[in-house]
Amino acid sequence: MAVQTIPPRIRWAVDLMDVQPNDHVLEIGCGPGAGAELICSKLESGKLFAIDRSESGVDRTKRRNQKYVDSGRLAVRQIDLATLRVPVKRLTKVFAFNVNLFWVRSADDEVALLHERVVPGGAVYLFYEANPPELVPNIVKKTSESLAKAGFRVSVVEQKAPAVIGIIGRR
């Protein structure tokens, strides 16, 4: 199997999250599994629960990260966040990259679920490629409002190259 690279935008986002060996992380929209690979490489006693609505995303993540699935460090499920009942009540971090849910429509129920499951001191990290740039203000506004309404303290970070916006909700 060919070595798969991790895109710089994903590497920057995961580095910003500062994943600790005992973290319990939920990844929303795991897609090809690059984020899962990087997160799992930092975990020891912690675990990653990765979800995607797409069967192909789940399959790709499992294939790419089979060693972490086999070790019990990674569980991957095909499910929508709206219908998810997180098996772990104590998430330390939530990660999503280019998941439009949080700004294209009301996501009150989903964000409330995250607020209920993220431990005090934990955080939700939502990242978006800043392309096209004219969408960025709307993404930041709507995502920030959604997180703040649920009780998260919101901050925004920006990476110039590659152009990525991070909206962080801390509990």
Side-chain angles (χ1 to χ4, degrees):
M1 181 169 155
V3 173
Q4 298 179 35
T5 60
I6 296 174
R9 67 186 183 280
I10 300 294
R11 191 171 297 283
W12 175 79
V14 172
D15 285 348
L16 185 72
M17 287 176 37
D18 190 28
V19 175
Q20 297 300 303
N22 62 341
D23 275 338
H24 288 267
V25 183
L26 170 66
E27 181 179 7
I28 304 164
C30 55
E37 179 181 353
L38 200 51
I39 291 167
C40 286
S41 73
K42 298 173 183 294
L43 297 174
E44 292 172 12
S45 61
K47 298 194 183 313
L48 172 63
F49 184 59
I51 64 171
D52 202 299
R53 295 182 318 177
S54 153
E55 183 178 349
S56 68
V58 168
D59 291 344
R60 291 185 302 166
T61 296
K62 284 180 179 177
R63 275 196 314 274
R64 181 176 185 145
N65 295 286
Q66 191 62 54
K67 69 181 179 181
Y68 298 122
V69 172
D70 293 345
S71 74
R73 207 177 304 172
L74 172 63
V76 188
R77 300 288 179 271
Q78 181 184 356
I79 194 164
D80 186 285
L81 180 60
T83 58
L84 176 67
R85 294 299 158 247
V86 180
V88 177
K89 286 193 175 203
R90 303 190 53 78
L91 295 169
T92 51
K93 295 181 172 97
V94 175
F95 171 73
F97 202 102
N98 284 342
V99 174
N100 295 335
L101 162 70
F102 301 100
W103 69 274
V104 297
R105 67 168 179 81
S106 171
D108 291 348
D109 291 342
E110 291 88 343
V111 175
L113 170 74
L114 296 177
H115 191 269
E116 176 185 310
R117 300 296 190 194
V118 172
V119 298
V124 175
Y125 296 84
L126 307 175
F127 297 96
Y128 299 92
E129 286 183 89
N131 190 9
E134 58 270 12
L135 288 180
V136 170
N138 193 39
I139 291 170
V140 170
K141 178 181 182 292
K142 289 187 174 181
T143 303
S144 296
E145 286 172 353
S146 181
L147 289 169
K149 183 178 175 182
F152 288 100
R153 293 181 326 276
V154 179
S155 59
V156 178
V157 292
E158 183 176 358
Q159 168 73 21
K160 297 291 186 191
V164 177
I165 298 294
I167 298 110
I168 303 164
R170 298 191 190 283
R171 183 150 179 332

